Amino acid sequence: MSLATDSPVHSSSSGDFAAFLDAELDSISSDSSPNEEEVNDEFNSDSSDSSPNEEAENDSEIESQRIKRCRVETVENIEDPKGSTSHGSLEQNLEVSSSKDACTHPGSFGDMCILCGQMLNEETGGVTFGYIHKLEPFYLLYIFVKWIDVSKGSLFKLDFLQMMTRLRPFVRMFLKEASQMFEMYIYTMGDRAYAMEMAKLLDPRREYFDARVISRDDGTQRHQKGLDIVLGQENAVLILDDTETAWTKHKGNLILMERYHFFASSCHQFGFNCKSLSELKSDESDRDGALASVLKVLRKIHHMFFDELVDNLDDRDVRQVLKIVRKDVLKGCKIVFTRVFPTQFQADNHHLWKMAEQLGATCSRDLDTSVTHVVSQDAGTEKSRWALKNKKFLVHPRWIEAANYLWQRQPEENFPVNQPKNH
């Protein structure tokens, strides 16, 4: 059985790394000890607050203080042409300058080396964090080292692409476990060079994908992905992707993955009005995250396909197995929607209605005692009040989406419905 996945890398703009550092700065500033505050005040001192004598004493230090303030021009964000990806990591574009023997440290901020403080010129090497503005080198060094230190091997600098890449939690274990059940492919809408760089990052020993790396240069249809270039029969191929529209002809093979929104621009790009994981100073769980949840589903499908079906192997269809597994997720739930669909919208044509039915739930327009869940965005509707009065579950629509991505019924209390504004 084959498993075709999108390249596990997701791109973001250069402003995201700055936003990540800004968030870290806030926490450091709030946790600073009195001594640390004194050091910070030294970096941010302004001669306008000094007495005449103090001004005279500080005249000789004006230049160094100006340098330490590092008033840096913000580099314009560059759109990443490589294409969106699924369950892996977030990329950060970085400016890279040429190298010189004067200073061999890895990076600079403005005109100053982030390690030794040496003044640099345009020809000096290292990563230039020029797009990060209104920050001090003291903070930058501390936060950058801290971020790399806690990444546990998930943060990489790709010189060829001039990018920083962050892998999605659990991806290493996921690839190891999945490779024991499936022949795996990388399939990305990025170009060939990008695809090969990601393959080397994820599979440096070529244990999992070997040469099975497909890019947009290999496709037969523009802006579309297809199984016609995968060496496997359609009834024995599963697809993991975070973009359903790319697989118009093969949705029956698709396991839709939740996007990995580590940086803020990822949320903005896809229209999510929420904080990114970096802004929340958090990350997905190794044990309960998207990849771990999907791995359980893959094990179940593999077992059913090979061990439970009685048909001849050539007659078995993984798409039918996928339907059976999906219908177990919300089996036994009867759902009524309120204040979810636009007025005059045909309810059973809405994607949430269809999603709930694919997950095994029964959807209804009418309330009765057999209803188990009322899905709403407003606790003040008549149906919402009925649910509370009759001790039924009142949940936000995200409850259905979470069940769809995580392939199991989620705790209803984690998806409360907003109270009316005049409540």
Side-chain angles (χ1 to χ4, degrees), residues 271-335:
F272 290 94
N273 185 22
C274 61
K275 288 188 176 181
S276 64
L277 290 168
S278 62
E279 292 174 304
L280 295 171
K281 300 174 186 152
S282 181
D283 210 341
E284 288 186 352
S285 166
D286 279 354
R287 185 183 64 181
D288 302 318
L291 289 178
S293 298
V294 168
L295 183 60
K296 295 177 184 176
V297 175
L298 293 178
R299 290 194 186 109
K300 188 172 184 178
I301 293 173
H302 188 273
H303 173 73
M304 291 179 65
F305 186 88
F306 286 104
D307 300 330
E308 293 187 8
L309 296 183
V310 296
D311 299 332
N312 293 328
L313 188 60
D314 291 340
D315 297 328
R316 300 176 191 180
D317 196 329
V318 71
R319 292 166 292 195
Q320 297 303 318
V321 178
L322 189 57
K323 285 183 180 180
I324 295 172
V325 173
R326 182 178 276 122
K327 278 188 172 293
D328 276 342
V329 176
L330 293 183
K331 185 179 180 180
C333 297
K334 185 173 182 179
I335 297 173

Side-chain angles (χ1 to χ4, degrees), residues 91-109:
E91 298 165 356
Q92 186 56 48
N93 293 330
L94 301 175
E95 278 190 78
V96 180
S97 58
S98 59
S99 60
K100 187 178 179 180
D101 294 337
C103 175
T104 58
H105 290 140
S108 62
F109 185 70

Side-chain angles (χ1 to χ4, degrees), residues 4-5 15 41 57 92-93 97 126 138 167 182 185 188 193 214 226 262 275 286 289 301 330 385 387-388 390 403 418:
T5 77
D41 288 339
E57 294 173 357
Q92 186 56 48
N93 293 330
S97 58
F138 175 80
L167 296 183
F182 300 91
Y185 292 72
T188 176
I214 303 171
F262 187 79
K275 288 188 176 181
D286 279 354
I301 293 173
L330 293 183
R385 292 195 297 268
L388 295 174
N390 290 274
N418 296 328

